[in-house]
Amino acid sequence: SLFAKSHADVTVRHVLRDLLLVVGLLRLGEQHREGAYAPLVAGLLLFYALHWAIQAVSVLVRRTRTLPVVTRNVDASALRLTPAPP
């Protein structure tokens, strides 16, 4: 309920969950093996960067395809909108 009150979306929850997972793994193992978890942390950061890049592209596509007014049963072919991506 604290996350809902602070308007934390799904991405923030996933970041916190994965951060707690990495911290738990570091505390669970020996203190001298932090280097073994570096690929895990790098992989998580890579996937988050990819996720945010995809979200940014989807927002750009959504903004370019949105008309300034809502139309129904109006021929909008003269606007030359690109077809929606799959």
Side-chain angles (χ1 to χ4, degrees), residues 13-32:
R13 293 178 188 186
H14 282 293
V15 168
L16 288 176
R17 187 180 309 134
D18 289 342
L19 180 67
L20 288 174
L21 175 71
V22 170
V23 169
L25 285 172
L26 288 174
R27 302 289 271 161
L28 183 67
E30 298 176 13
Q31 296 297 327
H32 304 291

Side-chain angles (χ1 to χ4, degrees), residues 4-85:
K5 289 178 184 177
S6 65
H7 302 289
D9 62 349
V10 176
T11 306
V12 172
R13 293 178 188 186
H14 282 293
V15 168
L16 288 176
R17 187 180 309 134
D18 289 342
L19 180 67
L20 288 174
L21 175 71
V22 170
V23 169
L25 285 172
L26 288 174
R27 302 289 271 161
L28 183 67
E30 298 176 13
Q31 296 297 327
H32 304 291
R33 297 191 59 195
E34 288 91 4
Y37 296 114
L40 174 67
V41 173
L44 286 174
L45 291 175
L46 176 71
F47 281 120
Y48 279 116
L50 181 64
H51 172 75
W52 285 327
I54 290 171
Q55 291 297 323
V57 168
S58 70
V59 166
L60 288 175
V61 167
R62 196 175 309 123
R63 284 184 183 168
T64 59
R65 295 196 42 78
T66 303
L67 295 175
V69 294
V70 176
T71 61
R72 291 187 181 165
N73 299 327
V74 175
D75 183 25
S77 61
L79 297 175
R80 297 185 187 132
L81 294 174
T82 59

